[in-house]
Amino acid sequence: MAEFAVSTVVEKLTSWITEEALLLEGVGDKVEQLRDELRWMQSFLKDVDAKQEKNERLRIWVSQIREVALDAEDVVETYIAEAASHSSWNIPAKLINLHQAGKKIEKIRSRVQNISRQKEHFGITGTAQEGREGTSASPNERLRWWRQTSPNIEEDDLVDLVEDTKASLTQLSSMDPCRRVVSIVGMGGLGKTTLAKKLYNHCDITKQFDCKAFVYVSKDYRRRDTLQRIIVAVSPDCNMEDLKKLEEEALISKLHELLKDRRYLVVLDDIWEKEVWDSMQSAFPSAEMGSKVMLTTRNKEVALYADARSEPIEPRFLTQDESLELFRKKALPGMDHMPCDLEKLGREMMAKCGGLPLAVVVLGGLLSTKRKTAEEWRSVLQNITWRLIDEDRVSAVLALSYNDLSFYLKSCFLHLGLFPEDSSISKTKMIHLWVVERFLPQQGEETAEGVAENCLNELINRCMVQVGTLTSLGRVKTIRMHDLLRDLSISKGKEESFLEINSGQEIESPTSQHTKCRRLAIHGEHDDPYVFLNPYAPYLRSLQFFNIGYSKFGFIFKDFKLLMVLDGVPMPSQALSAVGNLIQLRYLGVLIRTKKFKKVTLPESIGKLKNLQTLKVDYHVSFSVRFVCWCCIPNVIWKLKNLRHLLLVHGAGVMNFRLNNTLNNLRTLTNVGAGRWIEDGRLASMTGLRRLKIVLLEKGHLKSVLSSIERLHCLESLSLEFLVNQVFPTPISLSHFEHLHKLHLDGVIKRLPEPHEFPPNLIKFSLLNSDLEEDSIVKLQWLPNLKMLLLGYNSYNWTKLVCYSQGFPQLHILHLLSLEYLEELIVEEGAMMKLKNLKISRCPSLRKIPERFKLLTTYS
């Protein structure tokens, strides 16, 4: 898929021509010419990429284009980096550098032109015939063969998913006064078509409808062909030759007439675009009671577009036992059990399949042709990733979803492959990384983080990424990747020189192709002090460490001139002392491991990182105390004008600022200690802040904090944590924070503000150590938008908690945490009518809760 690499480079060159015009002065015209020549290649590759699979000459030619595009990116970006780091160059030095850069760009342009001539020399035209040497079929044609167009289904392909079948039958059997759409949504290979066929042939469904049709649509949708096949299915007397003579609009009218006054079921299998539904829906009469159109799709947005009132059915993955049963039917046909020595190996294989029915069926089919010995099966197990991802059918089905992504969504998808297998990936971290990597297009006035979240949601809706955990309010908190989709992202990423993974095992000498990768992830410890990274240095844009310590970490990042992301670096270490050399760095993640209280200071060289957007300091501690680390942020932080997120996790940071400088772009500031920087007006100047958490507050700080944040009109989340036994002064008014949705207060309050003094759009409110007066809690009941309330340790020290009638009208979640004196929760009729979850944690005296809440209650 060279088109991806070339598209990425063209976008970067276009951006640099505009944004780095001063630094490119003298070579800007050459860069623009190079961009235009690559753009021409890009337009050609849109047609060629899908046809190179069975054409060796075309594949070689395409790989040459990819390589020259990546080299072009390196030359131009290296020149920009050097020019930026030597702004005080004298005239002779600048002329020499210009001359050298110009020669390199001309050399690359010459290579582009030579590659273009090779296309003509080898007779490569990019036509459809070029991709069909011999009798080989295209990937989409092979998918058509594999997918049974008949609605019949083999019993061996079935696993009885009772919940999915029951939910589907309920929707299909409903007697709505108008036609409805029932959708089955899921990733490729999940069994959507199998479930649709099972429902189509179900005896209850067969009796309910007057006529039925089951047609395969696919990505190669052809409306005429689809209409003709539906017409023949619902009216077998129709002659196909006569139908071929009709215009498409006439076919629409004919199908509409055939379905009119009949209760019908039409299954449209494998729909990819909303436009398909737009072009077909007029053929289906809408006033026929109980009639249904059933869609299968990989994109939830398509399902909701077709019928927003119907909840899409999302089949679950198979359990280990269900996978093994389906695997047995395929691998050992005619046998009603699996020998013990093979069962153990089979279970290991099923773990890799991750409950994906297609992978189970393909693997079972493969082993049905092998000898039924442990040795033979063990050989397959040892190469199972290759067997599944490179096996024609699984690869084609999964790659179809990948190929349908825009190039910026492909970047996001490939990037997820850097994370270790079975990782729970933080949505926030993922968004910050995508922003600094500049994968994303500008979308009107949307912020970069907003665009990144939209892209993540699109990958979720396309079933390329799974939701891991949700926040208390139902928003995505973490994401996961299915093992086979992760394997696909790594396979495609390596092919594109997008990424490489080093597992921390025995180090092999990397090939020149591997060292040109843009992103490297290191999983686990190495005995070698990272000298193997040297060959990667000129090319890497991202270097991430996972699951490492710092005892042997001494590598100094001095030659990584293009590095934009450095994450997981242990501290203290020699490596971090040289971080100031990485002037292109946009994301820096520092990891501190400690068994005791520790004070660490970030190096002052951080002040050289003028492009830094995210600075994250994470603490991994071996015991639990309120703050185990102090992180001193040096008096150079003010130089980081592009900083958007300063994240101190599980620790407290000491801030120092120059009085005449501000961080206007800062959006996130967490776990920062209170101090003079607030009183001196530095906080008030951070007008772009969305999320703020200040710790170690004292009573004297609060007035300056509240007066400062009055100017923070964009603030959405606020957390204030006082030192032990410090008391919030009263009264407190927060009503001017119109955008504030989340509020966390940790400290003695006694009396809460009046309802009208709270933020008007407050959704989540958490209280700890507040020691509220008994009647003070009543004020919270009249907050009109409150959906979640957490009453934590020492926040409410009374035996009864009373919620009066009509109180908490929007509350969905109530969490009672470590309230040791609480004995009874009393909720009057009409209160908390929308409660969905009552969570009770460590409340030893609580014995009585309302009867209607017992099914909603969880204990921990």
Side-chain angles (χ1 to χ4, degrees), residues 57-339:
R57 289 183 302 166
L58 193 59
R59 187 158 56 246
I60 293 171
W61 184 77
V62 167
S63 69
Q64 291 176 346
I65 297 175
R66 181 192 298 114
E67 186 173 346
V68 76
L70 295 174
D71 288 346
E73 178 187 25
D74 287 338
V75 167
V76 177
E77 193 164 2
T78 299
Y79 173 77
I80 291 173
E82 290 179 349
S85 63
H86 296 89
S87 55
S88 59
W89 266 342
N90 57 39
I91 297 299
K94 184 175 182 180
L95 291 175
I96 291 171
N97 193 61
L98 271 175
H99 176 70
Q100 291 174 342
K103 283 179 64 177
K104 290 177 181 177
I105 293 171
E106 284 298 330
K107 187 175 180 179
I108 288 177
R109 287 189 62 205
S110 177
R111 286 172 59 194
V112 172
Q113 292 160 6
N114 186 49
I115 291 170
S116 180
R117 286 192 295 270
Q118 284 180 346
K119 177 178 76 75
E120 304 298 335
H121 175 72
F122 286 116
I124 298 171
T125 62
T127 62
Q129 288 74 20
E130 188 64 39
R132 296 196 180 104
E133 292 189 351
T135 59
S136 298
S138 71
N140 284 353
E141 286 171 334
R142 290 199 299 279
L143 281 175
R144 283 185 175 275
W145 295 342
W146 291 328
R147 189 184 293 266
Q148 300 173 33
T149 53
S150 164
N152 299 322
I153 184 169
E154 297 179 21
E155 286 299 316
D156 282 353
D157 289 338
L158 287 175
V159 173
D160 193 16
L161 302 181
V162 177
E163 303 90 343
D164 295 334
T165 305
K166 186 176 180 181
S168 306
L169 284 173
T170 299
Q171 289 198 35
L172 288 172
S173 302
S174 64
M175 297 303 293
D176 301 278
C178 59
R179 178 258 297 148
R180 298 294 301 275
V181 178
V182 177
S183 297
I184 304 175
V185 178
M187 68 177 281
L190 190 57
K192 302 181 296 296
T193 299
T194 301
L195 177 58
K197 289 178 179 179
K198 179 181 179 181
L199 295 167
Y200 185 85
N201 291 303
H202 197 282
C203 58
D204 292 345
I205 298 300
T206 301
K207 291 184 291 187
Q208 180 172 329
F209 295 99
D210 301 325
C211 59
K212 300 189 301 176
F214 191 112
V215 293
Y216 174 46
V217 179
S218 86
K219 190 159 175 53
D220 295 331
Y221 165 66
R222 295 182 287 272
R223 185 166 77 149
R224 170 183 287 278
D225 180 52
T226 304
L227 290 168
Q228 289 170 353
R229 284 184 286 136
I230 297 174
I231 290 171
V232 169
V234 300
S235 182
D237 295 335
C238 289
N239 184 283
M240 181 61 79
E241 293 303 316
D242 292 337
L243 294 177
K244 289 180 179 178
K245 298 174 184 177
L246 297 179
E247 298 292 332
E248 288 188 9
E249 293 308 316
L251 290 170
I252 289 279
S253 299
K254 184 173 184 64
L255 178 56
H256 189 280
E257 192 62 30
L258 287 170
L259 297 178
K260 190 177 180 182
D261 300 324
R262 301 170 78 185
R263 185 175 298 147
Y264 59 86
L265 169 64
V266 177
V267 180
L268 302 177
D269 183 30
D270 198 28
I271 284 189
W272 286 78
E273 306 288 346
K274 297 174 184 177
E275 290 74 17
V276 173
W277 177 247
D278 285 337
S279 71
M280 291 288 295
Q281 65 170 320
S282 61
F284 306 124
S286 60
E288 307 309 318
M289 178 173 287
S291 289
K292 301 291 190 299
V293 177
M294 183 158 60
L295 313 179
T296 72
T297 180
R298 304 184 190 200
N299 193 337
K300 193 172 183 179
E301 288 185 0
V302 172
L304 294 173
Y305 181 79
D307 191 339
R309 296 173 298 165
S310 292
E311 182 65 27
I313 297 157
E314 302 182 57
R316 63 173 173 81
F317 292 98
L318 302 180
T319 65
Q320 173 98 194
D321 288 339
E322 289 167 345
S323 297
L324 196 65
E325 174 64 14
L326 179 58
F327 175 67
R328 180 190 59 78
K329 291 178 181 179
K330 289 294 182 181
L332 304 171
M335 297 179 62
D336 59 2
H337 72 281
M338 190 176 293

Side-chain angles (χ1 to χ4, degrees), residues 714-745:
C714 299
L715 202 62
E716 298 171 359
S717 175
L718 174 63
S719 178
L720 302 176
E721 297 188 1
F722 271 67
L723 288 170
V724 178
N725 298 323
Q726 294 290 312
V727 181
F728 277 83
T730 54
I732 304 173
S733 178
L734 304 169
S735 60
H736 49 284
F737 298 118
E738 294 186 2
H739 299 289
L740 196 67
H741 301 312
K742 298 179 183 179
L743 179 62
H744 172 87
L745 301 177

